[in-house]
Amino acid sequence: MITKQFKKSFTQQEAIPEDGVNSALEVLRSGKLHRYNTQVDEISETAQFEREYANYQGARYCVAVTSGGQSLQIALRAVGVKSGDKILANAYTLAPVPGAIHAAGALPVFVEIADDWLTDIDDLRNKALKSGAKFFMLSHMRGHIADMGAICEICEEFDITLIEDCAHTMGAMWKGRKSGNFGKVACFSTQTYKHMNSGEGEILTTDIDEIAARAVILSGSYMLFERHGAVPSREVFQNISLETPNCSARLDNLRAAILRSQLSILDHNIQRWNQRYRIIENGLRKTPWVRVVERAQHEAFVGSSIQFHVEFQTTENIRVLIDACQCRGVEIKWFGSEDPVGFTSRYDSWQYLGDIPKLPKTLSVLSTTCDIRVPLTFDEHDCENIAQIICEEAERVAVLVE
Ligand SMILES: *Cc1c(COP(=O)(O)O)cnc(C)c1O
């Protein structure tokens, strides 16, 4: 039997659009890379981008920041998190989330996830009650949006401030409302593997004057905040500017220029991601050893990655499948591996947090969870091939070991 080999890279993104390259060159030629290096009445590339993103998101304010983790930390501080505060967080997330909580001096209280990777609502309620935490940092991990109606109700009932980590839900919606518009503040990563690519970077949005003002000072505006170009009025800063630390995390005009060119094609790209996602999803349905989880109708997600469960008897057999796919060029991330590899997303990898109470449900769900990236450099045929290779190898492993 001839076996197909997959040759493309799972981490290769598309080129920056040509108009983005040109505006980046203009910024370079001007020498004005620092966002506050402006004349009176001049709007920096960064401020321009913030206005455009705020408009896209339907948020009043937007603050662009150097990295995802830094922006999450700024978001926590901006909503008033103090050292020693407890922060609820879903246990399935990426390392910058616990890192940001730790950096803010706060303590995470992890909440279980369910089989569909969504926040377990009963566990959230239970932990909200028992911990007394007044903050919830919710990661819409890998683009899966939990029951936001139930989550908002719990937050209201227990007076919890919701912070949304929308690293994989930029442009996504839940019941017609944009992801990021449910909490007091939201963060959208623009790190290379997310929905817009500036290498590193992140966008913070909020509707609340004080949070926006604090985020601007935290991001490192010095007393130049009036040149920011997209912020609340001067009065709002009065009590904030001298009481808020500078965490030096300003985005620069070069990256803003690159991002502006991608924002205008974001919705188009979302359609392209979802086309690819559906092809892989449908392809994976062809083997009984792989289980895809049906997405809820009301969740308008962005299929920039796809998750599925492998239903072998033992996790060792999942390892055999992962290795077999790897040999044929299909790179699968398996969250059940005992040793953390690549980007870590399991709470037991974060030992600096001290003793974390066991989360048996989350560990059990992750033990069969696989994940593949869907970069836009894959075409539809590539997506068919990927699904086919996974199905073939799953059948082969099943014959050998099941
Ligand atoms: C990518 C990502 C972030 C931000 O990561 P940085 O590398 O710090 O930009 C935050 N949360 C989740 C869930 C992510 O996937």
Side-chain angles (χ1 to χ4, degrees), residues 216-397:
V216 168
I217 302 286
L218 284 159
S219 77
S221 65
Y222 303 97
M223 293 301 137
L224 304 169
F225 54 83
E226 279 181 291
R227 288 194 214 164
H228 181 96
V231 287
S233 61
R234 173 172 248 288
E235 301 79 70
V236 182
F237 283 88
Q238 216 133 56
N239 298 324
I240 286 172
S241 61
L242 300 181
E243 287 173 5
T244 307
N246 175 332
C247 297
S248 223
R250 298 165 299 276
L251 196 75
D252 53 87
N253 289 333
L254 185 58
R255 282 186 278 175
I258 293 170
L259 288 170
R260 287 185 71 195
S261 71
Q262 294 173 61
L263 182 55
S264 56
I265 53 168
L266 177 58
D267 284 336
H268 174 62
N269 280 345
I270 289 173
Q271 287 177 13
R272 297 171 65 218
W273 264 306
N274 290 351
Q275 263 174 335
R276 287 157 177 75
Y277 180 99
R278 290 299 186 194
I279 292 169
I280 298 177
E281 184 187 46
N282 285 326
L284 291 177
R285 290 182 207 278
K286 291 181 185 143
T287 173
W289 305 105
V290 167
R291 180 165 54 86
V292 296
V293 176
E294 300 306 325
R295 307 294 293 246
Q297 283 292 325
H298 52 250
E299 186 199 3
F301 63 95
V302 183
S304 52
S305 68
I306 182 166
Q307 292 68 48
F308 51 90
H309 289 287
V310 176
E311 309 219 276
F312 286 150
Q313 295 288 337
T314 70
T315 51
E316 183 44 37
N317 297 345
I318 301 179
R319 153 82 61 212
V320 175
L321 172 64
I322 305 293
D323 291 347
C325 290
Q326 181 75 49
C327 283
R328 293 183 63 185
V330 172
E331 217 173 278
I332 301 176
K333 175 153 182 85
W334 173 41
F335 291 104
S337 173
E338 278 312 307
D339 314 309
V341 278
F343 294 82
T344 57
S345 297
R346 240 174 59 176
Y347 72 87
D348 50 355
S349 310
W350 307 319
Q351 289 177 5
Y352 60 86
L353 294 171
D355 275 340
I356 302 169
K358 281 254 178 305
L359 295 151
K361 212 168 156 182
T362 298
L363 285 185
S364 159
V365 171
L366 293 183
S367 72
T368 56
T369 298
C370 292
D371 166 67
I372 44 184
R373 292 178 198 278
V374 186
L376 291 174
T377 47
F378 290 175
D379 60 25
E380 298 183 2
H381 190 58
D382 294 328
C383 295
E384 284 164 13
N385 285 341
I386 289 165
Q388 193 188 340
I389 288 173
I390 296 171
C391 290
E392 282 173 10
E393 291 307 318
E395 297 292 334
R396 205 193 306 263
V397 173

